[in-house]
């Protein structure tokens, strides 16, 4: 395979910066467990643990997990099929 057909991940740094500089709670997502589509802000937030968990308001399954510890940040969004942002 020729290496001129692709770039490494650094090529999307600008686009990803645009995504993560948005208000993510306003983004609409689909729950991977039940299919509910809603803004992330409608989720139920549990923050009394080592991290933060946002659960689907319909079925209670985790949508997003966020842990900030040891000078590192972990983001797990396996509970979402997608997050859709409005274009700027």
């Amino acid at each position: 395979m020729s290496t001129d057909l692709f770039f490494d991940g650094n090529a999307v740094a600008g686009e990803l910066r645009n995504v993560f500089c948005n208000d993510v709670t306003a983004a609409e997502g689909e729950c991977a467990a039940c299919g509910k589509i809603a803004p992330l802000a409608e989720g139920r937030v549990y923050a009394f643990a080592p991290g933060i968990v946002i659960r689907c308001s319909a079925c209670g399954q985790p949508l997003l997990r966020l842990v900030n510890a040891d000078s590192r940040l972990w983001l797990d969004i396996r509970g979402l099929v997608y997050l859709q942002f409005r274009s700027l």
Side-chain angles (χ1 to χ4, degrees):
M1 175 182 263
S2 175
T3 59
D4 60 350
L5 298 178
F6 63 90
F7 302 100
D8 68 14
N10 292 307
V12 297
E15 289 296 323
L16 289 174
R17 183 179 303 115
N18 291 335
V19 170
F20 287 102
C21 286
N22 282 296
D23 177 4
V24 178
T25 62
E28 190 172 80
E30 180 180 346
C31 176
C34 74
K36 178 176 180 165
I37 298 171
L40 198 57
E42 288 185 16
R44 296 181 307 207
V45 176
Y46 296 84
F48 301 104
I52 297 169
V53 177
I54 301 177
R55 294 182 174 272
C56 177
S57 61
C59 71
Q61 290 298 308
L63 299 173
L64 178 148
R65 296 172 185 95
L66 179 66
V67 176
N68 190 346
D70 300 326
S71 301
R72 294 184 180 181
L73 185 66
W74 288 270
L75 177 62
D76 176 353
I77 56 172
R78 284 180 281 178
L80 290 164
V81 174
Y82 64 83
L83 268 177
Q84 179 182 0
F85 297 84
R86 294 218 181 264
S87 294
L88 298 177

